[in-house]
Amino acid sequence: MVNFGHLLHEWRVAVKKEAKSTGKPQLLLSTATYYKPEVTLDDVYRRYPVKSINKNLDWINTMCYDYHGSWDLSATGTLAALYDPNSSVSTSSGLQSWIKAKIHQEKLVMGLPLYGRTWKLNDPSLYGIGALAVDVGPGIEGAMLYAEVQEFNAQNNAKVVYDEPIVSYYSVAGTSWIGYDDVASVKLKIKYAQSLNIGGYFFWAVNGDQEWKISRQASETWID
């Protein structure tokens, strides 16, 4: 991460040099990051160079999703919960930790998923978040675009559940379980981001939407 900070500085120097030689505006520099500034994947501690990010990047895209997925098939889990009463693995926790690390808030951009993660339930009668699972569910390697989730739900008469405390959706059809975001959860996440006065929000990825139903929320949602 120290070297990453040096690299960001070298890029900014190069961008300034290029702009000066061409007379054009400086190129924008950004990066996609983990949902929080501290990374502990594989039990290896890493911390993003926040000072270098503030100085050299125009913004960062925090990937506030993939909190659970096909890498753990033992139980279902939320893809991108805004809150999690049982752990710090949540979008609110991640964004707050970036702010606590003194990121310039206008450089902080919240990621929103336009896809779902799927599991095959061990027992279809036990289908809540954290229910025992045995394999990935429908889709490619346990993932489906948001549009595909909607089609699957309609075709299979799936039971759709909105978990209000966590701010996340899941659907169940037989042994198939899908965790994802929909209109109501996206609206609340955008309002939350606005309340923090951060730089904005992005979707990964817009081609997963269904008739722009989700992505248009970015321009239609405002704090009351």
Side-chain angles (χ1 to χ4, degrees):
M1 284 298 188
V2 171
N3 286 336
F4 181 55
H6 294 326
L7 178 63
L8 299 183
H9 173 71
E10 291 176 4
W11 279 348
R12 178 54 66 186
V13 170
V15 162
K16 288 181 178 179
K17 183 178 179 181
E18 189 269 348
K20 185 176 181 180
S21 66
T22 62
K24 296 179 180 179
Q26 290 187 32
L27 296 172
L28 295 171
L29 287 177
S30 68
T31 186
T33 70
Y34 197 49
Y35 78 101
K36 60 181 181 178
E38 296 179 327
V39 185
T40 54
L41 298 174
D42 304 319
D43 297 322
V44 178
Y45 178 83
R46 285 150 286 178
R47 185 178 179 86
Y48 282 97
V50 175
K51 286 185 178 180
S52 181
I53 287 173
N54 283 335
K55 182 178 179 181
N56 297 304
L57 293 182
D58 292 289
W59 72 84
I60 60 171
N61 288 333
T62 54
M63 297 183 287
C64 298
Y65 40 76
D66 281 348
Y67 301 148
H68 301 277
S70 59
W71 47 94
D72 182 1
L73 299 177
S74 64
T76 63
T78 55
L79 169 66
L82 180 57
Y83 306 106
D84 189 335
N86 300 313
S87 79
S88 62
V89 182
S90 67
T91 295
S92 60
S93 176
L95 295 177
Q96 292 284 0
S97 64
W98 274 107
I99 293 170
K100 187 177 180 180
K102 301 189 184 306
I103 188 76
H104 292 172
Q105 285 169 242
E106 72 276 7
K107 294 179 182 283
L108 185 59
V109 179
M110 176 186 68
L112 294 157
L114 273 171
Y115 62 95
R117 291 287 184 182
T118 76
W119 284 264
K120 180 179 180 181
L121 293 169
N122 177 63
D123 181 348
S125 68
L126 302 173
Y127 55 78
I129 295 172
L132 292 178
V134 294
D135 204 348
V136 295
I140 300 175
E141 298 182 350
M144 302 176 74
L145 299 177
Y146 171 76
E148 294 172 335
V149 173
Q150 296 304 300
E151 292 170 5
F152 178 89
N153 288 347
Q155 292 170 3
N156 294 275
N157 193 29
K159 177 181 178 66
V160 175
V161 179
Y162 174 48
D163 192 305
E164 189 172 350
I166 291 176
V167 188
S168 184
Y169 278 84
Y170 66 88
S171 65
V172 184
T175 59
S176 296
W177 195 99
I178 310 172
Y180 60 100
D181 266 340
D182 212 327
V183 172
S185 60
V186 168
K187 281 184 175 181
L188 283 176
K189 286 182 177 182
I190 289 174
K191 286 186 176 182
Y192 180 81
Q194 291 172 343
S195 73
L196 296 180
N197 293 315
I198 64 173
Y201 17 86
F202 74 96
F203 292 101
W204 186 264
V206 72
N207 67 320
D209 207 351
Q210 184 186 56
E211 298 178 352
W212 310 108
K213 183 165 66 173
I214 297 295
S215 48
R216 71 162 58 102
Q217 300 304 321
S219 60
E220 293 180 355
T221 301
W222 302 95
I223 296 176
D224 296 330

